[in-house]
Amino acid sequence: MFKVIDSIQSSEKLSSFYSSRRINLKPIPLPVFTGRLDEFNSFKSQFITLIHNNKELTDSEKLFYLRGSFKEETKTSETPDDSCLSLFQALEKRYENKRMLVDCHIKSILILPTLKHESAKDLCYFLDCLNKRLRSLKVLDFEGDKLSNVLFLNIILEKLDRESRKQYEFILKDNKIPDFDEFLNWLERRNQILNNINSNSVVKFNQEKPK
């Protein structure tokens, strides 16, 4: 009997201990929609999770939060008689345009800046932009085939700096068409190498700096 009581008390103390050590997270900010076509899916997902599915909010409160999410560019979508549902459906009708989304992501890849010289910072930014667009195309069920992969590989290769293109040629062992995924992995690896070189240079400079 006493063992059971001791066990319960121990469990309560343990629960109290962990409760007192809970991390106080900052409030999640309200999602914002600027009217950019390529940002709508992300905004929609956040709004549904944080606001729409919140059973403690009334429809009027949800509408208030939805309107509060708009930047000036998207306020023209509103009407005084809108409900949260009707306004959200109007947004979906305007911004869930798969063809325009695909065009937007492809054009963003085509206009990526050309790297003028070997730079870890520039290559990192380039890769972030590229991977973001490729992931978005994949979400839209537009994964690469042999033709598109070859096209993308050549387009991206032409945008690299001269030294990077030369280094890539060194790893090609024959006249076979390079694999696009392997090319992307090589780019990531090259970015890591350049970052490591820069980090080592900074450390060496600090060590040699006169005190």
Side-chain angles (χ1 to χ4, degrees):
M1 177 68 176
F2 290 111
K3 288 184 178 180
V4 174
I5 294 174
D6 289 341
S7 177
I8 293 173
Q9 289 176 340
S10 297
S11 297
E12 290 176 347
K13 288 180 180 179
L14 191 62
S15 177
S16 176
F17 171 76
Y18 282 117
S19 296
S20 65
R21 294 177 64 86
R22 288 182 63 186
I23 300 173
N24 293 321
L25 299 175
K26 293 182 179 180
I28 300 175
L30 190 70
V32 175
F33 183 51
T34 62
R36 284 186 52 175
L37 191 69
D38 57 341
E39 293 178 351
F40 180 70
N41 282 338
S42 175
F43 165 76
K44 176 182 175 180
S45 176
Q46 291 180 56
F47 185 84
I48 289 175
T49 301
L50 297 176
I51 306 299
H52 180 73
N53 291 344
N54 190 334
K55 296 180 180 179
E56 296 181 1
L57 297 175
T58 65
D59 287 341
S60 296
E61 289 171 328
K62 292 177 182 179
L63 177 60
F64 174 81
Y65 284 122
L66 180 57
R67 284 176 167 161
S69 300
F70 294 166
K71 290 291 187 180
E72 288 299 324
E73 295 82 353
T74 52
K75 288 186 180 294
T76 55
S77 304
E78 303 178 56
T79 68
D81 300 321
D82 265 319
S83 66
C84 183
L85 180 61
S86 66
L87 182 53
F88 205 82
Q89 287 175 337
L91 290 174
E92 288 179 319
K93 186 175 181 180
R94 173 174 293 183
Y95 294 103
E96 280 194 333
N97 187 322
K98 192 171 184 177
R99 180 178 64 81
M100 289 183 65
L101 267 176
V102 171
D103 287 349
C104 175
H105 294 311
I106 291 177
K107 286 176 182 176
S108 295
I109 293 175
L110 295 177
I111 64 173
L112 281 171
T114 300
L115 304 179
K116 302 298 183 182
H117 56 273
E118 190 177 72
S119 165
K121 181 180 178 181
D122 291 347
L123 181 57
C124 184
Y125 174 78
F126 183 92
L127 277 172
D128 286 344
C129 294
L130 173 62
N131 288 327
K132 175 184 175 182
R133 299 301 175 178
L134 292 175
R135 287 197 304 272
S136 296
L137 287 170
K138 188 173 182 179
V139 169
L140 293 168
D141 295 325
F142 278 83
E143 295 193 61
D145 56 19
K146 288 184 178 181
L147 178 58
S148 64
N149 283 346
V150 170
L151 289 173
F152 274 139
L153 189 149
N154 281 274
I155 290 168
I156 296 165
L157 193 58
E158 286 299 313
K159 291 180 177 293
L160 299 182
D161 60 278
R162 181 181 178 85
E163 182 61 26
S164 293
R165 294 201 305 271
K166 184 173 73 173
Q167 292 298 325
Y168 183 63
E169 288 294 332
F170 284 150
I171 70 166
L172 299 178
K173 298 179 180 179
D174 49 41
N175 292 325
K176 290 182 180 179
I177 303 298
D179 181 80
F180 183 57
D181 289 332
E182 290 179 1
F183 170 65
L184 293 178
N185 289 335
W186 176 82
L187 272 181
E188 292 287 354
R189 177 59 183 156
R190 177 156 179 77
N191 182 49
Q192 291 176 2
I193 291 171
L194 293 178
N195 277 312
N196 289 340
I197 292 172
N198 284 353
S199 298
N200 292 336
S201 298
V202 171
V203 171
K204 185 177 180 181
F205 173 78
N206 289 334
Q207 289 175 342
E208 295 177 351
K209 191 175 181 181
K211 297 181 180 180

